[in-house]
Amino acid sequence: MIAPAGAPPEPASADGVQRSFASQVALIARLLRKRFDERARAMALTADEALTQAQWRALGAIWLHPGWTQKEMAEKLEIGPVAMGQTLDKLEALQWVERRSDPGDRRVKRLYATDAAEPMVARLGLLAGREDHYASVSLSPEKMRTLTGLLDEVIEALNSTA
């Protein structure tokens, strides 16, 4: 691919392949999700607690954003509506999530985590903290602050042009 005039050269990976910024960010996100998914499955106390990536992402999102609708959840997590419904069915069967009717529109169901979900959410939170630490361990605290600050700037710029 030819870079625009004046554009900085693309960074090379360990295998010598040139990666764009967007592909680097996507790769990092994929690797982090994959590591987290492997560890989340390994920490399950029972077979029922062996959550899929969609399930732990949904449970975490519901915990952090109580009252979202199934449609909002599917859009935010970029999961299809059918898969989102199946994911929520599983979480509901585990009694970790409940669907409540919206007082303003009975057709709409709002999603809430139950008290029974708290131990799993706590374990997922600890795991997330460990994975975040592991991902940043190769960088000095100063470099990590610089990196997260720069990424926040990119996020802000992308949100303002959306």
Side-chain angles (χ1 to χ4, degrees), residues 3 6 21 32 46 54 63 138:
F21 169 74
L32 287 171
T46 67
W63 186 265
S138 65

Side-chain angles (χ1 to χ4, degrees), residues 49-71:
E49 288 185 351
L51 300 179
T52 65
Q53 187 177 113
Q55 290 165 347
W56 60 254
R57 289 179 65 214
L59 181 59
I62 293 166
W63 186 265
L64 294 172
H65 305 282
W68 269 0
T69 66
Q70 183 170 325
K71 181 180 178 184

Side-chain angles (χ1 to χ4, degrees), residues 12-78:
S13 67
D15 58 7
V17 175
Q18 298 292 313
R19 291 196 179 112
S20 69
F21 169 74
S23 67
Q24 286 179 310
V25 170
L27 178 59
I28 290 168
R30 186 180 65 77
L31 291 170
L32 287 171
R33 277 193 311 270
K34 181 181 177 198
R35 281 182 52 87
F36 188 95
D37 191 42
E38 290 167 355
R39 282 151 184 78
R41 286 179 184 275
M43 74 176 205
L45 299 177
T46 67
D48 282 342
E49 288 185 351
L51 300 179
T52 65
Q53 187 177 113
Q55 290 165 347
W56 60 254
R57 289 179 65 214
L59 181 59
I62 293 166
W63 186 265
L64 294 172
H65 305 282
W68 269 0
T69 66
Q70 183 170 325
K71 181 180 178 184
E72 289 169 327
M73 180 75 57
E75 289 171 357
K76 299 287 185 187
L77 298 182
E78 297 179 342

Side-chain angles (χ1 to χ4, degrees), residues 102-118:
D102 183 301
D105 185 347
R106 292 184 309 192
R107 297 170 295 173
V108 174
K109 300 289 185 195
R110 301 255 168 216
L111 305 168
Y112 297 90
T114 66
D115 290 341
E118 190 169 357

